[in-house]
Amino acid sequence: MAVTIAESTDVDPRAVIGEGTKVWHLTQIRENAVIGRDCVIGRSAYIGPGVQVGDRCKIQNLAQVFEPAHLEAGVFLGPGVILTNDQYPRAVTPDGELKGGDDWEATGVTVREGAALGARTVVVAGVTIGRFAIVGAGAVVTRDVPDFALVIGNPARFHRWVGRAGRPLVADGEGTWRCPVTDEAYTETDGRLALA
C-alpha cells in the first residue's frame, strides 16, 4: 500500500515512512525519524530527528514529538500532545552563552504498545507510559504510568484501571478485574495490572 504525503509537508529525505502511512498538511518529519506502517500523522504535527514510531499509530493535529521519543505499535497521541526531551531546560549556559546542540542531553519519552494520550497532554522528558494506559486530556505527566492505568490531572495521578479496549475495568473479586467489552480478565499485584 502506498504512502500518502500531503504536498505541504516537510519530510526530510533521510526519514523512513512505512507503507500505508498517511501524513497530512504542514507536518514536519525530521531526519532519521522512522514511522511505521499504516500510521496517520495529522495536520501540523512535528516528529523530531531520530524519533521512532511503531506500526498503526495515530498522531493527531499539532502533536509535538521531540527526539529521542519512542512510540511502540498502536499508540494514540491526541491533538496538541507534547512529548518533551529536556529535563533541565535553559536557553543559555552558566556563562550566559546561547546553548547549542552539544550543551544538553536529550532524554526521550517512551510510549508503550496501545497507550493513548488525550488532547493537550504534556509528558515530561524521561517518562514511560505503560502498555494500554490512558492519559486524560490536559494531564501533565511527571512520572511513569503503569500498564493499563488511567491517569488524570496536573500532575497526573492514578484514577482507575482500563483494559485493552480502553474502557474502565469492573472489579471481579479480590485483586481481579474484568473488561466489560472483551470479557478479558486482569489480575492486580502490588499496584500493577496484567492480563490473567
Side-chain angles (χ1 to χ4, degrees):
M1 184 186 272
V3 173
T4 302
I5 299 177
E7 284 186 32
S8 62
T9 60
D10 178 5
V11 178
D12 189 280
R14 293 165 290 180
V16 176
I17 300 177
E19 291 183 10
T21 290
K22 295 176 176 64
V23 183
W24 296 111
H25 302 283
L26 303 173
T27 289
Q28 183 178 20
I29 300 177
R30 298 280 305 275
E31 65 275 9
N32 304 317
V34 177
I35 312 294
R37 298 170 58 101
D38 302 317
C39 293
V40 176
I41 313 294
R43 186 182 202 279
S44 300
Y46 173 81
I47 310 294
V51 165
Q52 304 286 308
V53 177
D55 296 338
R56 299 173 311 283
C57 290
K58 281 191 168 187
I59 299 174
Q60 299 287 58
N61 298 354
L62 300 168
Q64 299 175 37
V65 182
F66 293 101
E67 69 283 353
H70 178 87
L71 283 60
E72 294 183 353
V75 165
F76 174 86
L77 300 184
V81 166
I82 301 173
L83 305 184
T84 70
N85 66 351
D86 194 345
Q87 291 180 310
Y88 309 103
R90 287 281 190 253
V92 295
T93 67
D95 298 330
E97 297 297 320
L98 184 65
K99 282 179 116 179
D102 294 333
D103 294 320
W104 67 292
E105 183 177 329
T107 305
V109 169
T110 300
V111 185
R112 300 279 183 215
E113 176 190 10
L117 284 65
R120 292 284 186 200
T121 294
V122 175
V123 184
V124 173
V127 166
T128 296
I129 308 296
R131 292 175 58 246
F132 298 100
I134 296 179
V135 179
V140 177
V141 184
T142 59
R143 59 183 173 211
D144 291 351
V145 175
D147 295 350
F148 303 108
L150 167 61
V151 297
I152 58 175
N154 178 5
R157 298 190 189 287
F158 178 82
H159 182 65
R160 66 186 328 156
W161 295 117
V162 294
R164 292 193 304 171
R167 302 292 174 85
L169 297 179
V170 177
D172 192 33
E174 185 74 25
T176 59
W177 300 84
R178 190 163 297 280
C179 177
V181 175
T182 65
D183 203 39
E184 292 176 324
Y186 296 79
T187 56
E188 181 181 355
T189 308
D190 297 326
R192 301 285 178 189
L193 198 72
L195 278 164

